[in-house]
C-alpha cells in the first residue's frame, strides 16, 4: 500500500488486487529469500496442503507441486487479503473503510489456485545469470573440484585416520591434531607458483591457545569440505540443468563401470563414437511419487579417459562424504550422495550426519560465490542491458539456484541453435552428445527454455522503447523502426517492473517470439510465409512458428525479411568479415580469384552489417601479401 500510494483498505479494489499479484510475482522472482527456493517439492499428499488448497481429485495438489518457486510465500501473503475480507464487520464497526470486493470467491480464484498462478509467473521471471556473472562462477567451481578437491579429500581422510590412531589426554590429542593440520601442504596448480591456499593453522604454544588454534583449523577444514561440495553442485546445475531438489535426492556408491560412481551409467552412443555419461536419480516435480530419471551430464570420445566436469563433480562428492555416511543418523542418509552435519568441525560421533536440504545447498552456493569469486569489478550494466550491480553489491548472494536452469537453457540455445526443435520437445539434448543420447525424464525443463526465450524477447522490445535504442541492421529492422511508436505505446509512462509486465503481457497476448542465434534474430513468427529458410527448403506455410534449421544458414538469413541484427551480434559479423575478406584478398594477391565469388559476397554482406551497426572495420591480415 505504501509503495503504490494506497491510503486505506477501501481503495484495495480488483485493480489493486491485480497490481498486487503482478508485484508479488516480480518480488518472488527477484527476492533473496531461501525459504522460497524449492518450497513446493516437499508435498507428498493433500494432507500437506492448507485446507484452502485441498480439493476433490489431484488438480490443486499437482498445481501446488508444479508451481515452481514461491508457492508457499505467495500463499501466506495472499492470506492477508482473506483476513481483510473476514474482518469487514469489525472494521466497519470501528468506522474504517473495508475491502470493496471478495478476493477468493470460488474454486478457480481460491488462495491455492492464485498462489499456483503467481508462482508459475514468478518462475517465468527468473532470469538466466548474465555471462559476466555465470562464467567466473563456473570457472571457480571447476577449479575447486580439481586438485583442491583432491587435497581436501586427502587431508580429511588422513585427519580421521590420525584421530583414530592417537591416544592420550584431550589436551595432548588437541595439540597433536593441531600440529598435524599445520603440516599439510596444499597443491600448486598448473601455471601457478604457490600453493592454492596457505596451511590451515600455524604451530603455537600449548594451553588454551593451542586448543583454539586446533578448533580454528578444524573449522577451516569443515568450511573447505563445504566449499568443495558447493562447487560440485554448481557444476552439476550449470552443466546438466538439474533442480536443486533432484541433486539432494542423488545416491552414492562406487560399484559402477570402471570405477565410475554407481549413480552414473556409461552408454555407447548410437554412432559408436562417444561414451555417454547418464546420471541416475529421482524425478520429484510433476509426479505424485518419485520416479526413476536420468540426465546426460557429459560425453567423451570412445577410448579416451577424459572425465567431463559434471562426472568429476559426482566422483568428488562420493569420496568427499564417504567418511560422513558411516556416521549417518538413518539409512537414507547413509545412501545419500550429499549429507550434512550440525557438528562443529568434522563429524565424529555416530548419528550426527543427516540428509542435506535445498536450503543447505542454496546457502552453500551463496557462500562459495562470496568467498571464491570476485564480482567487485562488474559494471552496473552489460552491453545487453542486464543488471549487474545487484550481483556486485550483494557479492553474489542474490543468486538463486533456479537461475542455473535458465542459464543452462540459454546456453544450449546459444551453443547450437539447431537443437531448438529438440529442446522444445523434451529439452534432453546438448550439442552432438545430447542428440545421440537420452537425457532423461524431465519435461518441466521445457518451461525454463520457453521462459528464457520469452524473457529475451521482452528484453528486445523493452530496448526498442528507449529514446536511443540500439542500432539495428537487416531487413526486419525497417519494420521494427516503423512500429517503434506503437511498441513504445505498450509501455506508456511505465518504468521498472511495471514496464516489463506491460511488455510481457503484450508479447504473450500476441504470441510474439524471437528466435536467437549467434548471427542475428529471427522474427519469422511475425510473417511465417516470408521466411527464406522455409522457402529454400520448400516448407513454406503460414503455420510455421520456428525456423527450418536444416536449411538455415547465415547468408540466407541475411537476405530474409524476417531477420535483424543488433550490437549483440557485432562480434560474429566482424569475425565473418575478417575471415572472408582475408580469403578474398589472399586470392587477389595470388592473382587467381576464380571460385571466390561467394567468399567476396560474404565479405561484402558482413561489411554492410557492420556499417549498419556503426562498427569499425577490423584490420585484415593477408598471408603472403607484399
Amino acid at each position: 500500500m505504501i509503495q503504490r500510494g494506497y491510503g486505506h483498505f477501501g481503495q484495495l479494489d480488483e485493480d489493486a488486487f491485480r497490481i498486487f499479484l503482478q508485484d508479488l510475482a516480480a518480488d518472488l522472482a527477484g527476492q533473496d529469500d531461501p525459504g522460497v527456493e524449492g518450497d513446493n517439492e516437499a508435498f507428498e499428499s493433500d494432507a500437506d496442503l492448507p485446507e484452502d488448497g485441498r480439493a476433490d481429485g489431484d488438480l490443486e495438489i499437482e498445481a501446488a507441486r508444479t508451481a515452481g518457486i514461491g508457492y508457499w510465500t505467495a500463499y501466506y501473503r495472499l492470506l492477508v487479503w482473506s483476513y481483510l475480507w473476514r474482518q469487514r464487520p469489525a472494521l466497519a464497526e470501528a468506522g474504517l473503510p473495508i475491502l470493496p470486493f471478495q478476493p477468493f470467491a470460488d474454486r478457480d480464484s481460491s488462495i491455492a489456485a492464485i498462489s499456483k498462478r503467481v508462482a508459475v509467473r514468478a518462475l517465468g521471471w527468473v532470469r538466466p545469470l548474465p555471462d559476466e556473472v555465470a562464467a567466473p562462477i563456473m570457472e571457480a567451481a571447476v577449479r575447486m573440484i580439481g586438485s583442491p578437491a583432491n587435497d581436501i579429500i586427502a587431508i580429511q581422510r588422513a585427519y580421521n585416520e590420525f584421530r583414530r590412531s592417537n591416544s592420550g589426554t584431550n589436551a595432548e590429542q588437541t595439540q597433536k591434531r593441531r600440529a598435524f593440520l599445520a603440516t599439510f601442504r596444499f597443491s600448486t596448480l598448473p601455471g601457478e607458483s604457490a600453493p592454492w591456499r596457505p596451511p590451515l593453522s600455524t604451530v603455537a604454544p600449548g594451553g588454551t591457545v593451542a586448543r583454539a588454534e586446533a578448533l580454528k583449523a578444524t573449522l577451516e577444514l569443515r568450511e573447505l569440505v563445504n566449499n568443495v561440495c558447493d562447487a560440485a553442485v554448481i557444476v552439476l546445475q550449470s552443466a546438466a540443468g538439474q533442480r536443486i531438489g533432484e541433486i539432494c535426492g542423488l545416491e552414492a556408491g562406487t560399484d559402477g563401470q570402471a570405477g565410475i560412481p554407481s549413480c552414473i551409467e556409461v552408454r555407447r552412443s548410437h554412432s559408436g563414437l562417444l561414451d555417454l555419461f547418464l546420471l541416475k536419480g529421482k524425478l520429484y516435480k510433476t509426479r505424485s511419487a518419485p520416479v526413476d530419471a536420468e540426465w546426460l551430464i557429459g560425453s567423451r570420445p570412445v577410448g579416451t579417459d577424459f572425465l567431463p566436469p559434471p562426472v568429476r563433480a559426482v566422483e568428488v562428492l562420493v569420496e568427499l562424504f564417504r567418511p560422513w555416511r558411516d556416521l549417518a543418523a538413518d539409512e537414507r542418509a547413509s545412501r545419500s550422495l550429499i549429507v550434512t552435519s550440525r557438528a562443529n568441525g568434522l563429524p565424529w560421533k555416530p548419528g550426527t550426519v543427516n540428509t542435506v536440504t535445498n536450503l543447505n545447498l542454496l546457502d552453500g552456493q551463496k557462500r562459495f560465490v562470496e568467498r571464491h569469486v570476485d564480482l567487485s569489478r562488474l559494471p552496473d550494466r552489460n552491453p545487453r542491458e542486464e543488471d549487474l550491480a545487484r550481483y556486485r553489491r550483494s557479492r553474489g548472494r542474490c543468486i538463486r539456484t533456479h537461475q542455473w536452469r535458465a542459464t543452462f537453457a540459454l546456453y544450449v540455445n546459444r551453443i547450437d541453435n539447431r537443437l531448438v526443435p529438440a529442446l522444445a520437445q523434451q529439452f534432453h539434448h546438448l550439442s552432438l552428445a545430447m542428440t545421440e543420447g537420452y537425457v532423461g525424464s524431465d519435461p518441466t525443463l521445457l518451461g525454463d527454455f520457453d521462459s528464457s526465450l520469452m524473457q529475451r524477447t521482452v528484453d528486445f522490445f523493452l530496448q526498442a522503447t528507449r529514446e536511443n535504442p540500439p542500432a539495428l541492421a537487416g531487413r526486419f529492422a525497417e519494420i521494427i523502426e516503423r512500429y517503434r511508436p506503437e511498441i513504445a505505446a505498450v509501455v506508456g509512462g511505465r518504468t521498472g517492473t511495471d514496464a516489463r509486465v506491460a511488455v510481457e503481457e503484450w508479447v504473450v497476448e500476441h504470441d510474439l517470439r524471437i528466435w536467437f542465434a549467434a548471427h542475428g534474430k529471427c522474427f519469422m513468427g511475425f510473417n511465417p510465409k516470408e521466411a527464406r529458410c522455409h522457402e529454400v527448403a520448400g516448407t513454406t506455410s503460414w503455420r510455421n512458428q520456428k525456423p527450418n534449421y536444416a536449411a538455415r544458414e547465415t547468408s540466407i538469413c541475411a537476405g530474409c525479411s524476417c531477420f535483424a541484427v543488433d550490437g549483440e551480434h557485432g562480434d560474429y559479423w566482424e569475425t565473418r568479415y575478417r575471415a572472408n575478406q582475408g580469403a578474398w584478398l589472399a586470392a587477389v594477391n595470388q592473382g587467381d580469384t576464380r571460385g571466390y565469388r561467394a567468399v567476396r559476397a560474404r565479405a561484402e554482406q558482413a561489411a554492410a552489417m557492420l556499417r549498419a551497426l556503426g562498427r569499425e572495420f577490423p584490420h585484415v591480415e593477408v598471408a603472403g601479401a607484399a
Side-chain angles (χ1 to χ4, degrees):
M1 292 177 68
I2 293 172
Q3 179 182 349
R4 293 292 183 176
Y6 295 113
H8 56 76
F9 297 145
Q11 295 174 330
L12 301 182
D13 56 15
E14 293 184 62
D15 286 339
F17 186 62
R18 178 181 56 81
I19 293 172
F20 174 83
L21 297 181
Q22 292 177 355
D23 290 347
L24 178 56
D27 188 38
L28 293 182
Q31 69 177 332
D32 182 22
D33 177 7
V36 174
E37 181 72 33
D39 60 1
N40 305 312
E41 298 183 3
F43 295 152
E44 296 296 338
S45 69
D46 59 351
D48 295 326
L49 284 170
E51 183 176 351
D52 187 71
R54 298 176 194 162
D56 295 334
D58 296 328
L59 293 180
E60 291 291 340
I61 304 168
E62 187 62 21
R65 281 199 191 96
T66 60
I69 64 172
Y71 174 86
W72 285 116
T73 303
Y75 186 93
Y76 287 115
R77 292 191 188 182
L78 284 166
L79 276 178
V80 176
W81 291 82
S82 178
Y83 297 153
L84 289 175
W85 177 255
R86 295 177 188 176
Q87 294 300 319
R88 291 186 333 283
L91 291 171
E93 185 178 345
L96 298 174
I98 64 174
L99 203 66
F101 81 107
Q102 183 175 356
F104 311 111
D106 52 45
R107 176 189 174 95
D108 290 338
S109 62
S110 67
I111 297 181
I114 294 178
S115 298
K116 179 256 182 180
R117 291 197 291 270
V118 169
V120 168
R121 186 166 197 176
L123 180 62
W125 281 357
V126 173
R127 307 300 310 281
L129 290 172
D131 293 347
E132 295 82 357
V133 176
I137 295 175
M138 293 170 69
E139 181 180 358
V142 171
R143 180 181 187 269
M144 180 63 79
I145 65 171
S147 294
N150 291 339
D151 284 348
I152 303 308
I153 292 170
I155 191 174
Q156 179 181 227
R157 182 186 301 118
Y159 180 78
N160 287 332
E161 292 175 356
F162 182 86
R163 187 169 189 170
R164 281 192 294 267
S165 62
N166 275 271
S167 59
T169 65
N170 288 338
E172 291 173 340
Q173 289 188 22
T174 297
Q175 178 73 6
K176 290 177 181 179
R177 290 199 299 271
R178 179 189 55 76
F180 167 76
L181 292 175
T183 63
F184 189 90
R185 293 296 180 265
F186 293 93
S187 303
T188 299
L189 303 183
E192 300 182 9
S193 58
W196 64 274
R197 64 151 292 140
L200 290 172
S201 66
T202 55
V203 178
T208 57
V209 175
R211 186 172 183 80
E213 286 294 324
L215 178 59
K216 179 182 177 183
T218 53
L219 290 176
E220 287 178 358
L221 178 54
R222 168 65 182 272
E223 183 63 26
L224 288 172
V225 170
N226 291 340
N227 290 165
V228 171
C229 173
D230 302 332
V233 172
I234 289 173
V235 170
L236 279 173
Q237 282 208 286
S238 63
Q242 280 187 289
R243 293 185 184 87
I244 202 70
E246 291 157 356
I247 293 176
C248 288
L250 295 174
E251 295 188 355
T254 54
D255 56 342
Q257 302 157 277
I260 300 296
S262 58
C263 57
I264 295 177
E265 181 179 341
V266 183
R267 296 181 194 163
R268 189 64 51 85
S269 68
H270 294 307
S271 68
L273 300 177
L274 298 174
D275 285 333
L276 307 176
F277 295 87
L278 294 109
L279 180 62
K280 306 176 78 64
K282 298 289 185 182
L283 185 65
Y284 300 94
K285 267 306 176 51
T286 75
R287 297 293 190 273
S288 58
V291 298
D292 292 337
E294 56 189 24
W295 297 265
L296 179 64
I297 61 172
S299 66
R300 69 183 178 195
V302 171
T304 63
D305 59 1
F306 167 74
L307 280 185
V311 180
R312 167 65 180 168
V314 175
E315 184 180 71
V316 165
L317 291 170
V318 169
E319 294 303 319
L320 184 70
F321 292 113
R322 184 183 296 280
W324 293 44
R325 296 183 196 98
D326 295 337
L327 307 173
D330 56 47
E331 183 180 354
R332 182 185 172 194
S334 69
R335 299 194 313 267
S336 296
L337 181 65
I338 305 175
V339 290
T340 189
S341 174
R342 294 183 179 180
N344 288 327
L346 298 180
W348 180 249
K349 297 179 181 179
T352 57
V353 170
N354 299 285
T355 54
V356 74
T357 68
N358 296 4
L359 301 186
N360 294 145
L361 299 187
L362 169 63
D363 290 340
Q365 285 196 24
K366 293 181 177 183
R367 286 195 307 268
F368 177 84
V369 174
E370 184 177 27
R371 297 176 186 180
H372 295 277
V373 184
D374 182 12
L375 302 177
S376 63
R377 299 180 182 178
L378 289 175
D380 287 348
R381 291 188 175 273
N382 61 17
R384 295 174 297 282
E385 291 298 318
E386 294 173 298
D387 181 14
L388 304 182
R390 61 192 297 259
Y391 298 98
R392 183 188 66 234
R393 288 194 296 263
S394 69
R395 299 172 67 183
R397 293 197 67 86
C398 63
I399 289 172
R400 307 281 297 281
T401 62
H402 207 87
Q403 285 182 276
W404 286 118
R405 286 164 60 79
T407 304
F408 177 71
L410 183 59
Y411 167 75
V412 173
N413 182 42
R414 283 177 174 175
I415 201 68
D416 193 344
N417 56 67
R418 293 170 300 175
L419 296 178
V420 170
L423 285 165
Q425 293 298 317
Q426 58 184 358
F427 203 91
H428 287 162
H429 297 165
L430 176 56
S431 193
L432 175 62
M434 284 203 174
T435 61
E436 293 190 305
Y438 175 68
V439 175
S441 324
D442 193 349
T444 54
L445 272 169
L446 174 61
D448 298 289
F449 178 69
D450 280 344
S451 172
S452 70
L453 282 184
M454 184 188 72
Q455 293 304 330
R456 293 185 74 189
T457 300
V458 171
D459 288 341
F460 175 84
F461 285 114
L462 270 176
Q463 292 180 26
T465 65
R466 296 179 179 168
E467 289 187 10
N468 297 305
L472 278 174
R475 294 178 62 186
F476 200 80
E478 301 174 4
I479 298 177
I480 293 294
E481 190 62 37
R482 187 188 313 159
Y483 289 98
R484 197 182 299 278
E486 183 178 328
I487 300 171
V490 173
V491 174
R494 301 178 184 89
T495 60
T497 299
D498 291 343
R500 186 169 198 89
V501 168
V503 173
E504 182 186 289
E505 290 179 344
W506 178 68
V507 167
V508 172
E509 178 184 355
H510 295 283
D511 194 21
L512 305 177
R513 182 172 303 186
I514 301 173
W515 298 95
F516 298 87
H519 60 288
K521 296 174 171 65
C522 174
F523 297 82
M524 67 161 295
F526 293 75
N527 195 357
K529 295 192 70 174
E530 295 296 321
R532 283 278 295 142
C533 57
H534 285 284
E535 180 183 336
V536 170
T539 55
T540 299
S541 170
W542 62 270
R543 293 174 296 179
N544 293 328
Q545 292 300 311
K546 58 175 68 73
N548 187 313
Y549 291 94
R552 188 176 79 166
E553 62 99 9
T554 301
S555 295
I556 290 177
C557 290
C560 180
S561 60
C562 302
F563 184 75
V565 172
D566 59 22
E568 180 181 346
H569 314 288
D571 290 345
Y572 175 91
W573 288 99
E574 184 175 307
T575 301
R576 185 175 174 85
Y577 172 79
R578 184 183 289 110
N580 286 280
Q581 183 69 0
W584 168 251
L585 293 179
V588 171
N589 188 53
Q590 295 172 7
D592 184 3
T593 59
R594 291 174 299 176
Y596 282 82
R597 181 179 300 176
V599 171
R600 183 181 185 184
R602 287 194 291 267
E604 292 174 347
Q605 190 180 66
M609 290 293 185
L610 292 174
R611 278 194 295 269
L613 293 175
R615 297 267 299 220
E616 294 185 4
F617 281 56
H619 175 69
V620 178
E621 295 286 348
V622 182

